[in-house]
Amino acid sequence: MMGTRGEQKKDQITSNTDALTVSAQGEAAAEDKELLSVEKIFSSMEVPPWQKQLTLRAFVVSFVLGVLFTFIVMKLNLTTGIIPSLNVSAGLLGFFFVKTWTKLLEKSGMLRQPFTRQENTVIQTCVVASSGIAFSGGFGSYLFGMSEVVAKQSTEANNAQNIKNPTLGWMIGFLFVVSFLGLFSVVPLRKIMIIDFKLIYPSGTATAHLINSFHTPQGAKLAKKQVRALGKFFSFSFLWGFFQWFFTAGDGCGFANFPTFGLKAFDNRFYFDFSATYVGVGMICPYLINISLLVGAVLSWGIMWPLIDARKGSWYSAELSPSSLHGLQGYRVFIAIAMILGDGLYNFFKVLSHTLYGLYRQLSNKDPGTVIPLSGRSPPELPPSLSYDDQRRTALFLKDQIPTWLAVAGYVTIAIISVVTLPHIFSQLKWYYIVVIYIIAPTLAFCNAYGCGLTDWSLASTYGKLAIFTIGAWAGASHGGVLAGLAACGVMMNIVSTASDLTQDFKTGYMTLASPRSMFVSQIIGTAMGCVISPCVFWLFYKAFNDLGVPGSQYPAPYALVYRNMSILGVEGFSALPKHCLTLCYVFFFAAIVINGIRDLVGKKKAGFIPLPMAMAIPFYLGSYFAIDMCVGSLILFVWGKVNKAKADAFGPAVASGLICGDGIWTLPSSILALAGVNPPICMKFLSRGTNAKVDAFLGS
C-alpha cells in the first residue's frame, strides 16, 4: 500500500514490498512444496463450497483487523505517506485469531467447521480491502487537500469554490459511490488474466504461499512463534508510545524533537525521532528505498535548501513567512512534485509498453484451439500438460462462475448512481466530467490490473494525477477547477486501485483453492467496511489534533499540499512559482526520467546501487528524520541477518509488524485523551547553551 502502495496504497516505492518482504516461511514453503506438489499435501482436505468459505467469524476478525490496520495506514498517510505492505501482518494475525478461537471450540466440543486456508484467504482479502480505503480514499492526499487548512498554505485558489472541509457524511457517501466500480470493471476478465494469460501477480502469489504454509503442521508451529514475536514487539511499541506521550506537553516537546546530531542538524531536520513505526517500516522496505530516502534528504536539506536560503532577498522576498509557497517552501514542494511526476510518467509509459507488448505476445502466440472460458459456458477440458497443482486449481477456479451480466449491470448501475450523486457532493464536478471518466476507466483499470500482474506495480496514483490535470484544466480556474481536479483524482484512483487489488486477490484465491465468488464477496464486504471505518478514523484524527495538516506538526499530511498544488498547476499554470523554481523543476523532472532509464539499462544487479527518484523526492518536503529512522530499521535487520540469517528471515517481518502495529494503535488512546482535554504533564525541550542562559536569566529575574 506508499503510496508513493508514498503517496500511493502502492506506487513504485511500495509496490514490490509484498514480494520482497514475505517471510522465509512463505518462501521456503513455496520452494519445497512446489517440488512436492502443494495440492497433493492438501489432497485429503475437502474444499468447502464458496458459501462456507464466507463465515461470520472470518468477517468479525476482518473487522477488528480492518480497524487496526486502518489506524496504522492513516497514521502513515498523515505523517510521511510511505505505506509498506501489511499483507504478512494481516495473514499472520488472521490465522492466529481464528486458529485460537477454533482450538477453544474444539476443546469444548462445539467446533462445527474447521479453519481452512480458504477462510484464511477470505480474511486476508477483506482486511486488505478495508484498510486499503485509508489510502485510496485520499485522507492524506486529494481529499484532505480540499480542506481550508491545506488551502491556507497556498495564496492561489483558496477561495470558497475551491475549498471543501471534511465532514463524515459526505466522505462516507463519496467513498460508497466510487469505491465499488473498479471491482465490477475487471470481473469479466478474471479468467483471461489468471488462467489464459497466466499472469504472475507477485504479491498475490507470495501471499498465497504464506497462507498455504500456515496450514501445514510445520508452518503452524512457525506461525505461533512469529505471532509471539509480533506480540512482544507490539507491547513494547505501544508502551514506548505511551511513555513518550508524558513528555509532549507543548510544541517542540518530547523525544520526537531530540537533536541527535546537534542543534544545527536538527534545524535542517536531521535527527532520529525515536519512532517505532518508522524503524519497523525500515525493516520491511528494501534497503534501496531507505538509502534513496537518505540520499534525497542529504541532497535537499543538506545542500540545496541551505544554498537557496542564502539567496533570500534575491530569489524571493525575505519578508515571506516560512510556510509561504512563494518562498523557500515553494522550492521544496514544487521540485518534489516535479520528481514525482517525472518518475510517475516514466513508469506509466514503461508499464503501459510492457502491458501492450505482453498482450500482443499473448494474443499472437495463442493456441487457436484454446477456448477462453466465458460465463454460461461449461469449463473447457484442461490440457494434460498442466501439472497436478494447476489442473486442480484451474478446475476449481472455473467451477464457480461470476456472471458477466452481473458485472456489467453492477458497473452501469453504480455509474448512474455516481453520475447523479457526485455533482451534489462536489458542485464543481459536472456530470459530464464523471461520464467521461467512467467511459475511460475500465480500460485504465484493465491496464493497471494487467501491468500489476506483470510487474507488481499499481500506478493508481499516477492515473489519479492524470485526472487532476485533465479535469482541472477542463473545468478552469473560474469554475472551481482545483476542487474538480482533486475530486476527479479520487474517482479515478478508487477505480484503478480496487481493480488491481481484486485481480491480486483472484490470484491468491486461485493458489489457495478459494472460490472467485468468495473472493469477490469478501472484497465487496471489506470495501464496504473501509468506506465507514476509514472516514471515522480520519474524523478522530481531524477532531483530536488541531494542527493536523500544518507543516512541522505531528501530522503534517505532506501529500495533501502536494496534490493541491498539482491541481493549482493544472488550472493556473506556472505563474505561482518563485524565481528560478520552474528551471529547477525541469531539471529534476528530466533527472527522474534519466535516472529511471539508467536503472533499466544497467540491469537488476547494478540498478540496486542507483537510488529511486520517487523515494528521493519524499524528504525534499518533509526532511530526513523519518529516513534516518528507516535506515536504523535497515541496519537492525542487516546486523541480525549477519548474526543469524534464518531467524532474521523468519522473524524480521513479524518484529517489524509488531513495532508498526503497537505504535499505530497508540494513536487511538492518544486521540481519545486529546478529545477529552487530557494533556501530557511534562514538556521536554532541548535548548542551546546561549538560549538556556537567557531562559535562566529571565526566570531568575
Side-chain angles (χ1 to χ4, degrees):
M1 117 153 96
M2 166 187 62
T4 3
R5 162 160 187 238
E7 71 237 20
Q8 302 98 14
K9 180 178 166 189
K10 323 156 201 147
D11 234 356
Q12 182 182 352
I13 289 188
T14 57
S15 59
N16 288 320
T17 53
D18 277 333
L20 289 166
T21 63
V22 164
S23 68
Q25 172 185 332
E27 292 174 355
E31 291 169 11
D32 295 344
K33 290 179 195 170
E34 285 304 327
L35 294 173
L36 298 171
S37 169
V38 176
E39 298 310 331
K40 282 184 180 175
I41 292 172
F42 293 105
S43 60
S44 60
M45 300 179 191
E46 185 184 350
V47 178
W50 71 271
Q51 297 94 330
K52 288 197 173 181
Q53 294 172 23
L54 303 165
T55 62
L56 179 61
R57 69 190 178 201
F59 291 117
V60 170
V61 168
S62 297
F63 179 79
V64 172
L65 292 179
V67 172
L68 167 68
F69 287 117
T70 298
F71 266 98
I72 294 164
V73 173
M74 196 67 70
K75 179 178 179 178
L76 296 171
N77 254 335
L78 296 172
T79 48
T80 64
I82 300 173
I83 305 166
S85 165
L86 297 171
N87 278 19
V88 173
S89 315
L92 194 59
L93 289 171
F95 173 80
F96 169 71
F97 283 131
V98 180
K99 197 70 176 174
T100 304
W101 176 245
T102 53
K103 277 208 168 182
L104 289 171
L105 289 178
E106 193 175 7
K107 284 179 182 176
S108 61
M110 296 170 64
L111 183 64
R112 293 181 181 177
Q113 184 177 336
F115 181 43
T116 62
R117 57 192 175 129
Q118 290 79 27
E119 190 179 352
N120 205 159
T121 308
V122 164
I123 295 170
Q124 169 86 20
T125 299
C126 193
V127 172
V128 172
S130 174
S131 58
I133 299 293
F135 159 70
S136 61
F139 300 101
S141 54
Y142 65 83
L143 188 142
F144 191 39
M146 301 174 184
S147 68
E148 189 176 359
V149 174
V150 178
K152 279 180 178 176
Q153 296 171 41
S154 303
T155 52
E156 294 79 19
N158 55 8
N159 53 334
Q161 69 173 346
N162 282 308
I163 292 173
K164 190 170 183 68
N165 284 314
T167 61
L168 264 182
W170 76 256
M171 288 191 296
I172 292 173
F174 170 71
L175 290 175
F176 265 106
V177 295
V178 301
S179 295
F180 295 92
L181 278 155
L183 304 181
F184 288 98
S185 66
V186 293
V187 162
L189 302 170
R190 69 197 179 282
K191 300 182 187 73
I192 298 172
M193 302 278 216
I194 307 298
I195 305 296
D196 213 48
F197 289 172
K198 293 182 171 58
L199 296 177
I200 299 167
Y201 289 102
S203 294
T205 300
T207 303
H209 286 318
L210 189 73
I211 291 171
N212 283 335
S213 72
F214 286 156
H215 292 266
T216 62
Q218 298 83 0
K221 283 180 187 175
L222 181 56
K224 276 185 191 174
K225 292 177 183 176
Q226 288 175 319
V227 169
R228 207 172 294 131
L230 190 151
K232 282 180 188 174
F233 283 89
F234 176 96
S235 304
F236 165 77
S237 179
F238 183 88
L239 292 171
W240 175 239
F242 180 43
F243 176 73
Q244 287 188 84
W245 175 81
F246 283 97
F247 301 92
T248 56
D251 292 336
C253 299
F255 285 91
N257 294 284
F258 189 92
T260 326
F261 308 113
L263 289 167
K264 186 66 178 173
F266 180 82
D267 289 340
N268 284 291
R269 302 195 191 180
F270 280 92
Y271 57 95
F272 176 65
D273 75 345
F274 295 91
S275 167
T277 295
Y278 283 102
V279 172
V281 171
M283 291 177 73
I284 288 178
C285 286
Y287 295 135
L288 180 61
I289 287 175
N290 300 333
I291 297 300
S292 300
L293 289 166
L294 193 58
V295 169
V298 171
L299 177 63
S300 55
W301 290 87
I303 300 171
M304 287 173 57
W305 305 156
L307 288 174
I308 292 173
D309 189 47
R311 284 157 179 76
K312 192 189 320 184
S314 170
W315 284 20
Y316 59 94
S317 171
E319 308 301 319
L320 292 169
S321 72
S323 61
S324 171
L325 289 174
H326 290 289
L328 183 57
Q329 185 77 339
Y331 294 93
R332 293 171 184 163
V333 171
F334 289 112
I335 293 173
I337 289 173
M339 284 196 80
I340 290 167
L341 290 176
D343 186 281
L345 193 67
Y346 178 88
N347 284 302
F348 170 72
F349 283 110
K350 177 184 168 182
V351 173
L352 185 65
S353 62
H354 273 265
T355 301
L356 295 175
Y357 180 65
L359 271 173
Y360 168 75
R361 287 196 61 183
Q362 292 282 1
L363 295 171
S364 61
N365 296 338
K366 194 166 173 53
D367 180 357
T370 303
V371 179
I372 298 178
L374 299 170
S375 297
R377 198 181 278 178
S378 58
E381 282 189 32
L382 301 176
S385 58
L386 286 177
S387 67
Y388 174 81
D389 283 3
D390 283 338
Q391 285 192 30
R392 189 152 191 244
R393 289 166 178 170
T394 304
L396 281 162
F397 189 80
L398 298 179
K399 180 184 166 189
D400 292 327
Q401 303 283 346
I402 302 172
T404 301
W405 67 264
L406 179 68
V408 174
Y411 187 88
V412 172
T413 304
I414 296 171
I416 291 169
I417 294 169
S418 187
V419 167
V420 173
T421 308
L422 283 177
H424 290 285
I425 300 174
F426 305 105
S427 58
Q428 300 85 346
L429 192 65
K430 305 301 181 188
W431 67 268
Y432 43 90
Y433 301 160
I434 305 164
V435 169
V436 170
I437 291 172
Y438 287 164
I439 291 170
I440 298 167
T443 304
L444 299 181
F446 168 75
C447 288
N448 195 45
Y450 190 93
C452 193
L454 291 173
T455 65
D456 210 29
W457 290 355
S458 172
L459 297 177
S461 61
T462 305
Y463 289 111
K465 288 168 200 149
L466 290 175
I468 285 179
F469 288 114
T470 51
I471 301 299
W474 187 3
S478 59
H479 297 95
V482 172
L483 199 68
L486 290 169
C489 170
V491 175
M492 185 65 79
M493 254 180 83
N494 275 283
I495 293 171
V496 297
S497 177
T498 51
S500 63
D501 286 350
L502 180 60
T503 47
Q504 288 272 19
D505 292 333
F506 279 142
K507 182 67 175 185
T508 304
Y510 169 77
M511 296 187 68
T512 58
L513 302 190
S515 166
R517 287 186 185 180
S518 65
M519 292 290 91
F520 184 62
V521 173
S522 178
Q523 184 88 19
I524 285 179
I525 292 173
T527 302
M529 285 181 186
C531 289
V532 176
I533 294 170
S534 290
C536 290
V537 171
F538 174 75
W539 192 245
L540 186 62
F541 277 86
Y542 187 66
K543 287 296 181 184
F545 303 103
N546 294 325
D547 57 357
L548 186 76
V550 176
S553 66
Q554 185 181 358
Y555 298 106
Y559 279 104
L561 184 61
V562 166
Y563 271 66
R564 185 173 185 88
N565 280 289
M566 283 184 190
S567 194
I568 291 171
L569 279 179
V571 173
E572 299 193 353
F574 300 113
S575 59
L577 300 181
K579 192 176 180 182
H580 300 302
C581 187
L582 182 58
T583 306
L584 289 169
C585 286
Y586 282 138
V587 169
F588 280 89
F589 176 85
F590 289 110
I593 293 172
V594 170
I595 292 169
N596 273 307
I598 292 170
R599 282 177 49 79
D600 285 336
L601 286 172
V602 298
K604 259 188 181 178
K605 197 172 181 181
K606 290 179 182 175
F609 297 95
I610 301 173
L612 295 160
M614 181 76 80
M616 289 173 64
I618 298 170
F620 272 47
Y621 171 56
L622 279 174
S624 68
Y625 60 94
F626 71 95
I628 291 168
D629 294 349
M630 291 174 68
C631 286
V632 168
S634 277
L635 182 63
I636 290 168
L637 193 65
F638 178 77
V639 173
W640 191 3
K642 289 293 181 185
V643 174
N644 190 331
K645 190 173 189 309
K647 272 202 170 182
D649 288 344
F651 294 100
V655 169
S657 300
L659 291 172
I660 295 168
C661 294
D663 199 30
I665 282 301
W666 165 247
T667 58
L668 175 58
S670 71
S671 302
I672 293 169
L673 288 170
L675 285 170
V678 179
N679 297 312
I682 304 166
C683 174
M684 182 173 71
K685 273 198 174 182
F686 302 91
L687 308 172
S688 67
R689 186 187 302 143
T691 306
N692 186 59
K694 288 176 186 175
V695 171
D696 285 346
F698 175 77
L699 293 174
S701 60

